[in-house]
């Protein structure tokens, strides 16, 4: 145990000498025989102790500096890491945006391509139709046939019932005329008093059907009061000369007829 003690007065306070140091000094004195050698040893011991304390302090400072350096290093590194993460996040968002834009561009281009395909297909059809029209314009009608709006018609001079009239047209690689416009109706009204056209309701009463299987659309060009199916036996349609309009009459009537190629 070490107790502070005043070597001169024997009281506490004033100049102190550590009792342990005194004890050590006495032991050193007894080892070296006392005298001036004793004070040299004490001085050396004190110097070594001081040097050790200084070294320890320096080591502590070094350690502290090392710790501070490491903290700074890792703080800076973490800062860099955060910045890199932020940078990568921004790049990722930019790439995501670019990808979305590319995706929408791709979708637009696909839609445009599909539209162009449809347009191209429509143009091909229009081209084919125009070529047919040109062909029809250039193509002359057979002898005895009349051309109207690029279509050839045959108007008979004989008279036959509706079925035989149709057969005659088919034998001529045509069929009874189908009227699609007022102009065509007017054209076919120029010739005989009355002519057969390719319209009948012989398959179902009141359901007027053309010879190509299509049903009459719109009102047609009937005379006033027609079709009236007089006597319940009028299933075939005649066209009267002079734009008089259509009339349903018995199919057994013998009339001229109009074929259309
Ligand atoms: C009548 O009048 P006429 O003969 O032109 C009739 C038609 C019949 C036709 C039969 C207004 O026409 O509906 O189909 O007899 N017209 C009227 O021959 O009743
Ligand atoms: Ca009638």
């Amino acid at each position: 145990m070490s107790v502070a003690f005043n070597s001169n007065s024997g009281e506490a306070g004033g100049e102190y000498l550590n009792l342990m140091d005194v004890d050590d000094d006495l032991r050193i004195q007894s080892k070296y025989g006392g005298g001036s050698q004793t004070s040299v040893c004490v001085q050396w011991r004190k110097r070594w102790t001081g040097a050790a304390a200084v070294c320890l302090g320096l080591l502590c400072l070094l350690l502290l500096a090392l710790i501070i350096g490491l903290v700074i290093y890792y703080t800076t590194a973490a800062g860099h890491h955060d910045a890199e993460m932020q940078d990568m996040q921004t790049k990722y968002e930019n790439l995501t945006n670019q990808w979305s834009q590319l995706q929408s561009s791709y979708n637009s281009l696909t839609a445009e391509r599909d539209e162009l395909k449809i347009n191209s297909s429509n143009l091909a059809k229009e081209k084919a139709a125009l070529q047919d029209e040109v062909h029809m314009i250039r193509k002359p009608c057979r002898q005895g046939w009349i051309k109207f709006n690029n279509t050839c018609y045959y108007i008979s001079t004989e008279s036959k019932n509706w079925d035989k009239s149709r057969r005659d047209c088919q034998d001529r690689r045509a069929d009874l005329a189908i009227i699609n416009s007022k102009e065509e109706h007017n054209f076919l009204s120029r010739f005989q008093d009355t002519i057969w056209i390719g319209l009948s309701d012989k398959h179902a009463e009141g359901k007027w059907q053309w010879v190509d299987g299509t049903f009459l659309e719109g009102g047609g060009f009937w005379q006033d009061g027609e079709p009236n199916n007089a006597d319940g036996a009028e299933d075939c349609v005649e066209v009267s000369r002079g734009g008089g309009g259509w009339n349903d009459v018995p199919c057994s009537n013998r009339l001229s007829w109009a074929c259309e190629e």
Side-chain angles (χ1 to χ4, degrees):
M1 182 183 168
S2 176
V3 175
F5 180 77
N6 190 317
S7 58
N8 294 328
S9 64
E11 295 171 358
E15 242 181 86
Y16 295 102
L17 181 66
N18 192 310
L19 283 182
M20 195 179 269
D21 292 345
V22 172
D23 187 42
D24 287 347
D25 289 348
L26 288 174
R27 266 188 269 140
I28 291 163
Q29 278 177 24
S30 67
K31 186 174 178 184
Y32 292 97
S36 63
Q37 266 188 322
T38 303
S39 83
V40 169
C41 282
V42 169
Q43 280 176 4
W44 270 107
R45 183 178 177 81
K46 283 183 179 174
R47 278 184 191 169
W48 275 110
T49 307
V54 168
C55 283
L56 195 62
L58 284 174
L59 268 174
C60 285
L61 280 175
L62 197 63
L63 195 61
L64 187 64
L66 187 66
I67 289 167
I68 290 169
L70 283 172
V71 167
I72 290 169
Y73 174 77
Y74 281 111
T75 307
T76 312
H80 283 309
H81 180 70
D82 285 350
E84 277 177 20
M85 281 293 287
Q86 188 66 41
D87 194 33
M88 284 177 74
Q89 181 72 27
T90 308
K91 282 179 182 166
Y92 173 76
E93 281 167 9
N94 286 344
L95 282 171
T96 307
N97 286 340
Q98 282 175 4
W99 189 85
S100 298
Q101 283 169 3
L102 282 171
Q103 184 71 38
S104 80
S105 298
Y106 172 79
N107 290 342
S108 308
L109 285 170
T110 306
E112 277 179 34
R113 186 201 60 191
D114 292 345
E115 202 175 327
L116 283 171
K117 269 187 190 172
I118 292 165
N119 287 346
S120 159
S121 166
N122 289 343
L123 280 173
K125 283 178 192 163
E126 280 177 32
K127 183 185 168 192
L130 280 171
Q131 280 173 338
D132 282 352
E133 205 173 316
V134 167
H135 180 68
M136 283 305 296
I137 289 168
R138 287 180 182 163
K139 184 188 162 196
C141 289
R142 285 178 273 172
Q143 194 174 6
W145 291 63
I146 306 160
K147 190 180 252 186
F148 177 74
N149 274 353
N150 304 318
T151 305
C152 297
Y153 297 89
Y154 173 82
I155 310 294
S156 79
T157 48
E158 297 174 82
S159 297
K160 291 185 178 180
N161 67 31
W162 191 89
D163 283 327
K164 284 186 177 169
S165 298
R166 187 178 184 198
R167 172 61 53 138
D168 178 82
C169 290
Q170 289 169 335
D171 288 345
R172 296 172 192 273
R173 288 173 283 122
D175 209 332
L176 284 171
I178 295 172
I179 296 178
N180 302 110
S181 67
K182 180 72 176 167
E183 291 71 30
E184 193 176 13
H185 166 76
N186 290 340
F187 166 73
L188 289 173
S189 304
R190 291 182 202 164
F191 303 98
Q192 314 295 3
D193 285 347
T194 52
I195 56 168
W196 289 124
I197 56 171
L199 186 63
S200 78
D201 69 344
K202 57 199 321 195
H203 295 301
E205 180 57 38
K207 295 196 182 304
W208 296 101
Q209 195 173 15
W210 295 105
V211 285
D212 66 355
T214 59
F215 288 91
L216 175 64
E217 285 181 10
F221 305 102
W222 299 99
Q223 293 174 24
D224 288 343
E226 306 297 344
N228 61 355
N229 194 27
D231 298 327
E234 296 188 324
D235 293 339
C236 294
V237 178
E238 64 178 17
V239 175
S240 300
R241 182 153 58 182
W246 303 349
N247 177 28
D248 58 337
V249 290
C251 297
S252 56
N253 285 4
R254 291 165 61 89
L255 307 176
S256 297
W257 63 94
C259 303
E260 179 177 353
E261 193 173 37

